[in-house]
Amino acid sequence: MPLRTAVRYLSAPIRDILRPSTTTSNRGYSAIAEARLMLEHELETIRTGGTWKGERIITSKQGPHINVDGSRGDILNFCANNYLGLSSHPQVVEAGIEALKKYGAGLSSVRFICGTQDIHKDLEQKLAQFHEREDCILYASCFDANAGLFEVLLGPDDAVLSDELNHASIIDGIRLCRAKRFRYKHMDLNDLETQLKESQSSRLRLVVTDGVFSMDGDMAQLKGICDLAEQYGAMVFIDECHATGFMGPRGRGTDELLGVMDRVHIVNSTLGKALGGAAGGYTVGPKPLIDLLRQRSRPYLFSNSLPPPVVGCATRAVELLLASNEIAQSVGDKTMRFRNKMTDTSLSDG
């Protein structure tokens, strides 16, 4: 057999493998078309259900007055979580610019390889100081902090007792852990006690609640929760995303406001709301827990470090709150003044 013929004969099967068949191509197209139909149906279900979430395009910095694409003039903004107005505070912005110039745009690494700068450790130290806890660990978001905590802390011999209206990130984080799960009725201490009694055979028990519930704005009954936790030998965790920076006389959160800072064991919170509003979350608590999270918390181990500009902005925001209580206290004063004026206007119009 001539060499050219042999090569053509041997290469034919390879060409057939590399060349997609009409049948395979049709099957792939059919799968994509079917998926598209399914997705469009799901989207239409959201629209008809009245839960479609549109995105307004803001063309200015965040603040009480914003410019929105398609609207004339500025618009009053009542829906941001910029509780302290620090998202565009000149000192916060300048700190971010300085961090960008000195430390760069990002680390291109996770923390434990080559992604920890001195500013990360400084921010962690300041957050631990702010919350009066032993140590702190930073995450890309508080969603990640909640996703990374329970799986590390709780095993199959443990139990987690969660308020039924806790944030989605808490619910998802608890799903990742192997602990026995108990859900108590929203802010119902009697039901919590029932769950604590039912879980008494567990090795470690953790009561989990939002400090302030984001949808309705109601506040966890932390004193009662701590009383029950101590009575039944459980630990207490709170998510403080909607409290850090402005709840309590120094803005430390609901645990400070309700006088139980020394009775709440673990706090998760965010840098993406009152503390500059950029991004990032964190856990504060006992040092052995924080050390273990650095070793085993998957969102921490497998996510890039917080970018230096974000760290710079958040650090300056925390420094402002550590230096003075006036910013935190101003929120209550402004809230009452606004509420009184709105009430007076409503009465006068009525």
Side-chain angles (χ1 to χ4, degrees):
M1 181 186 294
L3 179 60
R4 181 181 301 174
T5 303
V7 170
R8 188 183 305 119
Y9 175 80
L10 292 172
S11 62
I14 298 175
R15 289 198 305 270
D16 291 342
I17 292 172
L18 296 178
R19 184 190 302 121
S21 69
T22 304
T23 303
T24 302
S25 178
N26 288 340
R27 274 202 303 267
Y29 177 80
S30 175
I32 293 172
E34 185 176 347
R36 181 180 291 274
L37 287 173
M38 181 188 69
L39 295 172
E40 290 292 351
H41 173 73
E42 190 68 23
L43 290 170
E44 186 57 31
T45 300
I46 296 172
R47 292 188 186 96
T48 57
T51 57
W52 182 267
K53 292 164 281 295
E55 297 181 357
R56 300 169 183 83
I57 310 303
I58 300 173
T59 58
S60 64
K61 61 185 178 182
Q62 186 64 276
H65 298 264
I66 56 174
N67 295 324
V68 177
D69 187 34
S71 299
R72 295 181 179 178
D74 65 10
I75 294 175
L76 285 174
N77 180 14
F78 289 96
C79 56
N81 295 316
N82 185 23
Y83 297 116
L84 299 176
L86 296 181
S87 295
S88 303
H89 190 286
Q91 292 187 43
V92 173
V93 173
E94 184 60 30
I97 294 172
E98 290 303 314
L100 176 64
K101 291 178 178 178
K102 183 175 180 180
Y103 292 97
L107 276 299
S108 303
S109 172
V110 297
R111 285 284 297 270
F112 76 93
I113 296 180
C114 59
T116 298
Q117 295 172 317
D118 55 353
I119 54 174
H120 292 94
K121 300 304 293 183
D122 180 57
L123 177 55
E124 287 172 336
Q125 184 274 323
K126 284 184 167 64
L127 286 168
Q129 177 187 350
F130 181 78
H131 286 281
E132 298 180 7
R133 295 327 196 265
E134 292 179 12
D135 205 355
C136 172
I137 180 173
L138 291 172
Y139 288 89
S141 68
C142 191
F143 206 112
D144 277 356
N146 285 335
L149 172 68
F150 306 107
E151 183 182 19
V152 173
L153 178 61
L154 303 172
D157 297 326
D158 304 317
V160 56
L161 302 95
S162 178
D163 188 293
E164 66 180 353
L165 293 188
N166 276 336
H167 190 268
S169 61
I170 296 176
I171 295 170
D172 286 358
I174 289 174
R175 285 173 178 165
L176 294 173
C177 78
R178 294 180 295 165
K180 294 180 284 291
R181 303 166 196 169
F182 297 83
R183 186 173 64 176
Y184 63 92
K185 297 175 183 176
H186 180 50
M187 294 179 59
D188 188 329
L189 295 180
N190 290 327
D191 193 39
L192 173 58
E193 183 170 19
T194 299
Q195 308 295 336
L196 284 166
K197 289 178 179 177
E198 291 183 8
S199 62
Q200 284 190 97
S201 62
S202 302
R203 180 189 63 173
L204 177 68
R205 287 176 293 170
L206 182 67
V207 180
V208 175
T209 182
D210 278 311
V212 174
F213 292 85
S214 59
M215 298 306 294
D216 295 324
D218 45 357
M219 193 183 309
Q221 302 175 63
L222 289 184
K223 189 178 184 305
I225 290 173
C226 290
D227 288 343
L228 287 172
E230 290 169 3
Q231 180 181 346
Y232 290 95
M235 296 175 63
V236 178
F237 161 94
I238 58 174
D239 181 311
E240 287 284 78
C241 286
H242 291 275
T244 297
F246 58 95
M247 297 294 286
R250 300 175 300 158
R252 274 32 174 192
T254 52
D255 55 347
E256 180 193 35
L257 179 67
L258 300 176
V260 293
M261 285 189 75
D262 59 340
R263 302 171 69 191
V264 172
H265 306 97
I266 306 166
V267 176
N268 276 8
S269 195
T270 182
L271 306 173
K273 293 181 171 61
L275 301 183
Y282 57 90
T283 298
V284 292
K287 190 177 189 320
L289 170 63
I290 303 304
D291 288 342
L292 187 60
L293 290 173
R294 293 192 194 280
Q295 299 302 314
R296 291 185 177 172
S297 181
R298 294 167 72 84
Y300 177 81
L301 291 170
F302 300 108
S303 296
N304 264 19
S305 305
L306 278 181
V310 172
V311 176
C313 290
T315 300
R316 188 64 189 124
V318 176
E319 288 172 346
L320 288 171
L321 295 177
L322 285 170
S324 172
N325 300 329
E326 291 182 8
I327 298 177
Q329 293 171 354
S330 69
V331 175
D333 297 336
K334 292 175 182 176
T335 300
M336 292 307 300
R337 186 162 63 250
F338 174 78
R339 183 177 296 171
N340 291 336
K341 286 187 176 181
M342 291 293 287
T343 302
D344 292 342
T345 301
S346 176
L347 291 173
S348 63
D349 290 344

